[in-house]
Amino acid sequence: MTSVSTRDLVSQPYKYGFVTDIETEKIAKGLSEDVVRLISSKKEEPQFLLDFRLRAYKHWLTLEEPDWAALGYSAIDYQDIIYYAAPRQQEKKASLDEVDPKLLETFDKLGIPLSEQKRLSNVAVDAVFDSVSIATTYREKLAEHGVIFCSISEAVKEYPELVERYIGTVVPSNDNYFAALNSAVFSDGSFVFIPKGVECPMELSTYFRINSGDTGQFERTLIVAEEGASVSYLEGCTAPMFDTNQLHAAVVELVALDDASIKYSTVQNWYAGDENGVGGIYNFVTKRGQCRGARSRISWTQVETGSAITWKYPSCVLQGADSVGEFYSVALTNNCQQADTGTKMIHLGARTRSTIVSKGISAGRSSNSYRGLVQIAPGAKGARNYSQCDSMLIGDEAAANTYPYIRSQQPQAAIEHEASTCRISEDQLFYLQSRGIGFEEAVSMMVSGFCRDVFNQLPMEFAAEADKLLALKLEGSVG
Amino acid sequence: MIRPDAELLLDINDLHASVEAQPILNGVNLQVRAGEIHAVMGRNGSGKSTLSKVLAGHPAYRVTGGSVRYRGSDLLELEPEERSRLGVFLGFQYPVEIPGVSNLEFLRVSSNARRQQQGLEELDTFDFDDHVRERLSVVQMDPAFLERSVNEGFSGGEKKRNEILQMALLNPVVSILDETDSGLDIDALRIVAGGVNQLATPENATLLITHYQRLLDEITPDYVHVMAAGRILRTGGRELALELEKTGYDWVDEEVASTGQGVA
């Protein structure tokens, strides 16, 4: 990358901040049992799902919002949020050509072309706009392989028995405050089912777009890989710039049966608020994968660069013997952003293995915490974990914290933990500059060097994007 | 090689500079022409390393007076990266480690920045790989160092070789080598000095900043300058270095004291 293109790149602070002017159907603000019933009836859901929602809602009412994270924000008024907003169009269209051109244009602008001619050749995309999925590409081609990839709303209608069998089995509706809220009001998200022995022939991807200013987004994603199946899935997220905060409380559940493998990557670039911390997304997400079968593998890779608040711990329950869990994370905070993120690796099965590589970068006045749990149950004989948590500080007003929790009830388990903190020094920058490398490029070179172990885990098409995204996010944060 | 009609590359006039409000340079005058090798000698604290940092544009040093012209234009106006691209090279006394950044990629980006300035074609990964492997011979460096992070875990000698490799790749017009000999055993010193000698041409110039005469056994300077209290106290030929070797720096202190220029 030449210095010129870096400059061009960093000259646009947040290029996804536009709002699409489209007629939207919204329900009234506030949360009640009636609202839960209304969402369910709008989606014409079967009884089991309504019951699931109502149980979750009743449980949520008994819970208190958690306050243990190293995050500070003013209280969220749950009655001041709209729980369902959908662009006004009739049925979900059979053909993409019938989708409102404004929506197609929106995704075009986001770099996610959906129309037949322009779509990415090797990536199937589910596009979610506010509360609903508007299009899923390559459904038929995937169906030829027995792969189901559609919105969760469609899955509820077309494959209710699959949804009923798996939903809430990894993240129960009473799991935590935000998971219970999501279970009560979730509107859309993606559903992936890879049948026995099938290697999914293309990358799957969901692109989440929040458009409305007063709406919460509560998506729910469920991915099931049967025996010997494998899939790589990527989600991307953006939102317009508003001076108010929007709540995003998602739940993602992954199930891997014997010998199955799921790779789940996230590039999160929700609007982060301005440099004074006004506006931005509150991102409270519960992501968990269950390695239910022997020798199964679940790998989380996340690049978290957006949101005013990030509260997120993608986790693995390693139940099957010899199963493997991985967590690779880059979390970058700048200006007034706050992130409290990490993972949980729960070792239940024999010889289960987990790897955690976390890279936190804090710039501006931001605060960035890694919080992780490695738990080894008595039955997890021969379990092993390796954790590496590195922090990089840019400037002298940012904060980095590491909270590693280790609980082992298995004396033979091998647990390794390494942690480091570094600061980009004036001398390092001067060294690179004195070799003809411009200031911004020198910073982004050092940051991407710091993150390399994680970027190597991303699908190839997105690794370069992630690099650029970090350069963009750090604009003006040094010096 | 002294040729009075050679291009004046570096013209330093009455240069004053300070760090954290402490004056370090108190009126340096120095002219460097193409083809010349200059040695700047002096005790620790005499200002010789500061001179090199100021010429390269280190942000911690503030120029408080005087001027530096490089090939006719104002050097002090330029950002450090612009100076490098235009052919001013600083070989660091203590090259910093940059974890995570591949040495090969760093050398390529750096070299291309200079090539672009010179109107040469930028080299892609494959062409650069061939090019850098050919240049390794200048300092007899093991190609394994290309695969590592910049200077990370390099010994003192390996870091200095990496500096001269950069010099070989950047093809600078004026090279300032700050205590390149420090911390080197005699074999490493010969290799590094051999690299510098190979790279010297009638078109470029070298400024050796050194405390000891032993580097000058390997690289023969055209001029030797003795610095004290932030100024060049005396200039001579090769024999001045030998005299210093014999008499030490005590006479310098006396001369500074007698002219009222206290050592800061």
Side-chain angles (χ1 to χ4, degrees), chain A residues 383-427:
Chain A
R384 284 186 293 164
N385 162 265
Y386 170 75
S387 302
Q388 183 190 338
C389 301
D390 299 325
S391 305
M392 177 183 263
L393 293 164
I394 299 178
D396 51 15
E397 289 181 279
N401 300 295
T402 302
Y403 305 98
Y405 303 90
I406 296 170
R407 288 188 206 127
S408 179
Q409 296 167 285
Q410 175 37 257
Q412 285 163 358
I415 302 170
E416 283 176 74
H417 182 90
E418 288 177 26
S420 74
T421 301
C422 65
R423 191 182 286 279
I424 291 187
S425 72
E426 188 180 62
D427 282 332

Side-chain angles (χ1 to χ4, degrees), chain A residues 20-184:
Chain A
T20 305
D21 179 18
I22 191 160
E23 200 184 332
T24 305
E25 179 199 357
K26 290 179 182 174
I27 63 172
K29 275 184 181 171
L31 182 54
S32 65
E33 187 173 322
D34 287 344
V35 166
V36 175
R37 286 180 185 278
L38 182 61
I39 293 170
S40 187
S41 77
K42 277 192 176 298
K43 302 179 90 67
E44 300 163 7
E45 287 175 350
Q47 189 64 37
F48 84 86
L49 204 51
L50 175 62
D51 293 344
F52 175 84
R53 288 176 181 278
L54 291 173
R55 270 199 312 277
Y57 176 66
K58 283 178 184 142
H59 186 73
W60 181 75
L61 290 174
T62 69
L63 298 175
E64 300 260 330
E65 194 173 323
D67 61 358
W68 43 260
L71 301 170
Y73 56 95
S74 50
I76 299 168
D77 180 355
Y78 291 90
Q79 298 305 332
D80 195 38
I81 293 170
I82 292 174
Y83 287 84
Y84 185 87
R88 202 179 290 280
Q89 61 175 18
Q90 285 75 36
E91 288 296 292
K92 183 158 176 176
K93 303 298 180 186
S95 154
L96 275 165
D97 301 334
E98 297 169 51
V99 173
D100 189 325
K102 267 189 189 163
L103 290 174
L104 294 180
E105 198 183 298
T106 300
F107 283 91
D108 260 0
K109 266 165 91 175
L110 297 170
I112 316 289
L114 297 173
S115 57
E116 298 280 348
Q117 303 82 7
K118 287 186 283 181
R119 62 168 69 155
L120 303 166
S121 62
N122 201 31
V123 183
V125 179
D126 184 24
V128 178
F129 190 90
D130 285 335
S131 305
V132 295
S133 163
I134 57 158
T136 309
T137 61
Y138 292 115
R139 278 190 66 170
E140 300 77 18
K141 187 174 168 196
L142 289 166
E144 288 167 20
H145 298 263
V147 172
I148 302 171
F149 180 42
C150 62
S151 73
I152 198 139
S153 308
E154 288 166 286
V156 166
K157 286 190 186 128
E158 294 172 36
Y159 314 98
E161 68 295 340
L162 279 179
V163 175
E164 188 171 8
R165 193 188 312 161
Y166 289 106
I167 198 168
T169 62
V170 183
V171 180
S173 62
N174 60 359
D175 188 80
N176 68 68
Y177 187 83
F178 295 105
L181 177 65
N182 174 284
S183 301

Side-chain angles (χ1 to χ4, degrees), chain B:
Chain B
M1 184 201 314
I2 303 173
R3 285 176 297 142
D5 59 335
E7 184 190 357
L8 180 60
L9 298 177
L10 200 59
D11 187 6
I12 305 174
N13 267 299
D14 195 28
L15 183 65
H16 288 69
S18 45
V19 62
E20 289 170 354
Q22 171 90 18
I24 309 282
L25 299 186
N26 298 304
V28 176
N29 291 292
L30 181 64
Q31 276 79 41
V32 178
R33 290 181 185 274
E36 296 174 350
I37 296 178
H38 291 242
V40 176
M41 304 186 73
R43 277 192 195 283
N44 290 332
S46 61
K48 58 192 195 302
S49 272
T50 296
L51 176 63
S52 70
K53 296 261 174 51
V54 169
L55 293 176
H58 194 290
Y61 297 82
R62 204 161 58 85
V63 175
T64 51
S67 69
V68 180
R69 301 197 77 76
Y70 168 68
R71 309 186 88 174
S73 55
D74 186 352
L75 184 72
L76 303 175
E77 280 284 289
L78 303 171
E79 294 295 325
E81 61 268 29
E82 295 170 317
R83 300 182 195 197
S84 166
R85 289 173 202 159
L86 288 168
V88 176
F89 177 83
L90 171 62
F92 283 73
Q93 182 177 7
Y94 303 109
V96 292
E97 302 191 358
I98 307 184
V101 175
S102 123
N103 199 29
L104 183 64
E105 180 62 10
F106 158 69
L107 295 170
R108 192 174 74 87
V109 173
S110 165
S111 176
N112 277 338
R114 169 92 174 111
R115 291 179 70 89
Q116 198 184 26
Q117 182 79 40
Q118 291 174 295
L120 297 171
E121 200 186 337
E122 291 186 39
L123 298 176
D124 68 16
T125 327
F126 303 105
D127 289 342
F128 184 73
D129 208 57
D130 295 342
H131 178 58
V132 74
R133 275 165 206 280
E134 181 255 311
R135 301 307 270 165
L136 285 174
S137 62
V138 171
V139 282
Q140 300 170 32
M141 200 160 120
D142 181 343
F145 287 103
L146 298 173
E147 309 303 326
R148 300 184 30 190
S149 293
V150 178
N151 294 327
E152 194 182 31
F154 288 24
S155 71
E158 289 155 358
K159 284 181 180 167
K160 295 297 170 71
R161 286 195 210 191
N162 204 31
E163 293 294 289
I164 305 304
L165 174 65
Q166 291 167 46
M167 181 174 156
L169 289 167
L170 291 173
N171 195 16
V173 179
V174 172
S175 299
I176 304 148
L177 304 178
D178 188 7
E179 308 255 3
T180 291
D181 51 331
S182 71
L184 296 186
D185 62 37
I186 190 69
D187 293 329
L189 179 73
R190 288 210 168 112
I191 290 168
V192 166
V196 174
N197 283 329
Q198 285 176 61
L199 297 171
T201 70
E203 283 74 45
N204 64 27
T206 307
L207 200 58
L208 302 168
I209 311 266
T210 182
H211 191 76
Y212 301 105
Q213 135 74 20
R214 61 171 195 161
L215 178 65
L216 308 182
D217 290 337
E218 307 295 331
I219 306 171
T220 310
D222 299 301
Y223 294 99
V224 174
H225 310 276
V226 180
M227 249 186 116
R231 308 178 64 166
I232 289 176
L233 202 64
R234 204 203 283 185
T235 293
R238 167 99 232 268
E239 68 291 345
L240 181 55
L242 296 168
E243 186 189 330
L244 271 174
E245 173 87 346
K246 222 180 296 165
T247 60
Y249 284 98
D250 287 348
W251 65 269
V252 174
D253 296 343
E254 283 164 29
E255 204 160 316
V256 167
S258 69
T259 56
Q261 296 281 346
V263 178

Side-chain angles (χ1 to χ4, degrees), chain A residues 320-343:
Chain A
D322 300 294
S323 60
V324 176
E326 295 172 317
F327 174 74
Y328 298 97
S329 171
V330 166
L332 177 144
T333 53
N334 195 359
N335 298 320
C336 300
Q337 282 178 276
Q338 304 176 65
D340 192 302
T341 185
T343 186

